[in-house]
Amino acid sequence: MRITCPYCGERALDEFTYRGDATVKRPDSLDENTAEAWVDYVYLRDNPAGPHKELWHHGAGCHAWLEVTRDTVTHEILDVAFARKGC
Amino acid sequence: MSSLKSMSALHGIVSPGRYGKQDGEPGVVASERRDIGLATIAARKGHEADLTAAVKAAYGAVLPSGPGSAVGPGVRFIGIGPGQWFAVSETLANEALADDLAERLKGLASVADHSSGRAIIRLEGPEVRAVLAKGLALDLDPRVFGDGAAATSTIGHMGALLWRDGEAYDIALFRSVGGSFWGWLRSAAAAFGLEVVTTS
């Protein structure tokens, strides 16, 4: 599997580290009534068969965090963008 | 503040001479670039455009937006990541480069001195690309990796920054892996003949 880094270009998989689901959002509040949202953020993940947005770190290259859209069935990389917007 | 002494990363590890195939012209000529100024530059948030203008005014180079070099009088700027550059200079030797950058780019970028922190190895000769192909998964064909091109990747599983300066390839490694890299280079280049010269 190869990932086309928006900064470095096409690179081998061993330059990258997988972080996880890119769609989960950290709750803003620590209030008790947000406990359910925290459980969701920390533990619960969808397990889609198909396109999945995920975070990868280009640790052996430009050190940027990337948002990769990967098909979990075929491993096809559908899109790669910087996780930090406005780069 | 006490000042640190500049020391070769390969002192006591690499001796000048011919390695591997002994007959004919060497396929690769290696040298260590010593006493050069090395520094990283990271743009402060929201100051990217000001930083580019300040570097242009102070050093006569336009910071590259991707992996590549911009060369001004005395200083080469290499893109190593979004908003980050690696600066290399022979005229501003050792920590003089980081001092100069920090002064001229004050408030626009964070500057860190890397001189003596990296081993800079220069490879030249007709077989350099064939040798690097044994440990680097990048296309170095001149049509895609021309003069000034740069890449951060791994060579023999060791993190490396590589750039092309004319016909020469310069490789920056953390000095702690200098010895390991030498072991790799010596084996990889043996079939072509490796000549080690000390001067840059």
Side-chain angles (χ1 to χ4, degrees), chain B residues 72-117:
Chain B
V75 188
R76 173 184 294 266
F77 296 89
I78 303 161
I80 53 172
Q84 296 176 60
W85 296 268
F86 190 71
V88 182
S89 176
E90 280 185 356
T91 49
L92 292 165
N94 298 313
E95 66 269 33
L97 175 63
D99 291 346
D100 195 65
L101 287 165
E103 178 62 32
R104 289 169 183 250
L105 308 177
K106 212 170 197 166
L108 303 176
S110 299
V111 175
D113 181 22
H114 281 244
S115 52
S116 288

Side-chain angles (χ1 to χ4, degrees), chain B residues 20-38:
Chain B
K21 187 165 90 75
Q22 296 292 312
D23 57 309
E25 290 292 310
V28 178
V29 178
S31 56
E32 185 186 9
R33 296 184 68 190
R34 298 176 184 173
D35 293 323
I36 58 178
L38 305 171

Side-chain angles (χ1 to χ4, degrees), chain A residues 9-65:
Chain A
E10 193 182 2
R11 293 295 178 91
L13 179 65
D14 64 0
E15 292 196 4
F16 301 87
T17 312
Y18 179 69
R19 168 68 177 82
D21 194 333
T23 61
V24 291
K25 248 190 107 63
R26 192 177 188 276
D28 293 327
S29 164
L30 287 169
D31 289 350
E32 272 183 39
N33 59 11
T34 60
E36 222 169 278
W38 275 99
V39 169
D40 200 51
Y41 168 69
V42 176
Y43 297 111
L44 301 181
R45 295 290 180 270
D46 295 333
N47 186 20
H52 185 229
K53 270 190 192 295
E54 48 201 31
L55 291 170
W56 289 77
H57 185 235
H58 195 184
C62 62
H63 298 114
W65 279 97

Side-chain angles (χ1 to χ4, degrees), chain B residues 2-198:
Chain B
S2 61
S3 64
L4 298 172
K5 188 173 180 247
S6 168
M7 293 178 71
S8 157
L10 298 177
H11 179 72
I13 297 172
V14 184
S15 305
R18 179 73 182 253
Y19 296 85
K21 187 165 90 75
Q22 296 292 312
D23 57 309
E25 290 292 310
V28 178
V29 178
S31 56
E32 185 186 9
R33 296 184 68 190
R34 298 176 184 173
D35 293 323
I36 58 178
L38 305 171
T40 54
I41 302 163
R44 297 262 172 89
K45 204 171 182 179
H47 289 291
E48 287 87 353
D50 300 341
L51 174 64
T52 300
V55 169
K56 177 93 177 72
Y59 300 98
V62 178
L63 288 175
S65 57
S69 309
V71 184
V75 188
R76 173 184 294 266
F77 296 89
I78 303 161
I80 53 172
Q84 296 176 60
W85 296 268
F86 190 71
V88 182
S89 176
E90 280 185 356
T91 49
L92 292 165
N94 298 313
E95 66 269 33
L97 175 63
D99 291 346
D100 195 65
L101 287 165
E103 178 62 32
R104 289 169 183 250
L105 308 177
K106 212 170 197 166
L108 303 176
S110 299
V111 175
D113 181 22
H114 281 244
S115 52
S116 288
R118 313 269 186 129
I120 310 288
I121 297 171
R122 169 161 289 200
L123 300 181
E124 295 164 283
E127 303 294 346
V128 171
R129 289 203 303 276
V131 169
L132 288 174
K134 297 182 182 184
L136 175 70
L138 282 180
D139 187 358
L140 298 184
D141 188 285
R143 284 170 292 183
V144 290
F145 201 86
D147 187 14
T152 311
S153 187
T154 58
I155 302 176
H157 302 283
M158 290 167 274
L161 169 63
L162 169 85
W163 67 92
R164 221 186 103 177
D165 183 354
E167 292 304 312
Y169 293 83
D170 282 349
I171 299 167
L173 305 133
F174 287 113
R175 69 177 290 137
S176 57
V177 298
S180 300
F181 183 80
W182 163 242
W184 176 86
L185 178 65
R186 189 178 170 170
S187 303
F192 306 108
L194 170 66
E195 183 79 35
V196 175
V197 293
T198 51

